[in-house]
Amino acid sequence: MAMGLAPGLIVSRALALADADGKTDEITCAPAIDKAPRPRHTAPMLQISDLSYSIAGRPLFEGATATIPAGHKVGLVGKNGAGKTTLFRLIRGELALDSGALSLPSKARIGGVAQEVPSSSTSLIDTVLAADTERAALMAEADTATDPSRIAEVQARLADIDAWSAEARAATILRGLGFSPSDQLRPCSDYSGGWRMRVALAGVLFAEPDLLLLDEPTNYLDLEGALWLEAYLAKYPHTVLIISHDRGLLNRAVGGILHLENKELTYYQGPYDQFARQRADRLLVQAAEAKKQSLRRDHLQSFVDRFKAKASKAKQAQSRVKMLEKMTPITAPEEARQMVFTFPKPEELSPPIVRLEGASTGYGDVEILRRMDLRIDQDDRIALLGKNGEGKSTLSKLLSDKLSVIEGKRTASSKLRIGYFAQHQVDELYVDETPLQHIQRIRPGEMPPKLRARLAGFGLMADQADTEVGRLSGGQKARLSLLLATIDAPHLLILDEPTNHLDIESREALVEALTAYSGAVVLVSHDMHLLSLVADRLWLVKDGHVAPYEGDLESYRALLLQKDTKPAKSGKTDKPKAPKPSRDQILALKSELRKCEERVSKIGQMQDKLAKKLADPALYEDGKKGELETWNKKYAEVMEGLDRAEAMWLAAQEKLDAAQKRA
């Protein structure tokens, strides 16, 4: 059983012992000075041996075996529902094994985020400091102890665990997760549940357990927080096991992948992309072996069928029957799930579809964003960068016409349709209705077969279509919300953290769908992989302003991480050497260049059509002055768009050339 140390935090000091039935008991020890010293700079090794466990008769693990090396950072991956979170509960001792064993070194401390920190009057910094219960107990005892020898022991132990720098360490973690120094002094009750989840995460990071278990920690972080966590975990001094579908985190923060598939565990060395290649190779070999064995079995069976009735061949036929019986079947691997998103195609509108001119917006009389001059064309793919609270959601609401301008002007195409997806919409679905009932309300005139086809286009098959939303997984709810946001074939799709609760296969499918989508996309996401493959323009929301960000995502990431490093003591600053680009980054730049070329070509075709229209003598007849002005205005807008597209094409070519030189 796990001993709770602070709200939202589970940390236990445990020794897993296998009893005669193969079950494990977890022995917990309260922090005390006369016990063995806390191993702050050593890491345990997790040994999973022949583990089996079932829920309601459904086996999740059957003979699963794996070893997590000491001090390693490991990503736990697998399909939704495969049992990843259940494995965490088994490791923590919250569930009893059916058979097998889980073992850790004696007194190893296991930590994880159990739930959000409760609303209370305790400040954020004090809540995080309380997560290290040994330090808290020792600090309290230091104020009351009277025995000189005991006082000496307490002070020595406080020095051993670096207690005096604790407040600075806690403040650094909170700052990395988005809390300013003034925020850290405010009570927990001032913050919503998502922000209190960050406080709980800060608590477990501060406590530095020997085995850190994290279950989708980036789901409640913004891009800045997610990047900070990546860097922090890469330097974490002990063992980390993290469930995540964030490909960027799994590539940069971990050095091994534990794959849960077919009720078994397989450990792979290296980050996620290396795992994906290794697994693909294994599947190819397995498929080839299965095919080879199938041909061999067919050949043997054919011989038996042909000659079993012939006396002269009876012994040979019987020999081949025995060979067939002894042959261990090699099962061909299952095909990878084909996750799909099918976005309906909108008709084409003249650019720009949305334009802001000197626009300011906010709530009531309070301005949040000021003097914005921005435009969106239908083929734009824009990522919004900036910390939480800077105004990304405010800008999204203004673009989607959910918020009015205070000053300036917002103009949009008269035929513009906008689709809006935000994480809170997933929580606003009707839990007692099925997905089919949700879209029947929006499309009452459509027949059920067509409605079911729409659901299938978002991966919600017959079983899920007739299941109450309250019983669907987080990923299935997100798919339904995406369907509802895009059902009208919007020209502009605004997505706020669309990948939360989606597994890696679904995220890759979303990338493909957005790449093929013929409308404009505005993205807010902590998923760097998604942003790098979809977005070709970056807008930075900062200090009440929105402006194009001239660098790329890697330079933005470096900028954010640089803020947490101390400047050199000398006044000189060396320009950091650009990192060598990866193969995926080169491919992403090539994809960006290709999209820019397509954009130039597309706008050029539009220019030709308008030029032909303006060359029509009938347009210059009396009484058509207004129509002529309209076409001239459209032509000017298209030429402006063409200039911008050509500039983006040149910039993309320069970035690719520079990256290929560094490669």
Side-chain angles (χ1 to χ4, degrees), residues 291-306:
K291 184 176 181 180
K292 188 188 298 182
Q293 187 187 66
S294 177
L295 292 172
R296 176 69 174 155
R297 291 180 70 91
D298 290 345
H299 177 73
L300 292 172
Q301 189 64 52
S302 174
F303 185 92
V304 171
D305 293 342
R306 284 165 55 204

Side-chain angles (χ1 to χ4, degrees), residues 348-360:
E348 193 168 323
L349 300 178
S350 297
I353 57 174
V354 178
R355 187 163 202 158
L356 301 179
E357 297 174 88
S360 299

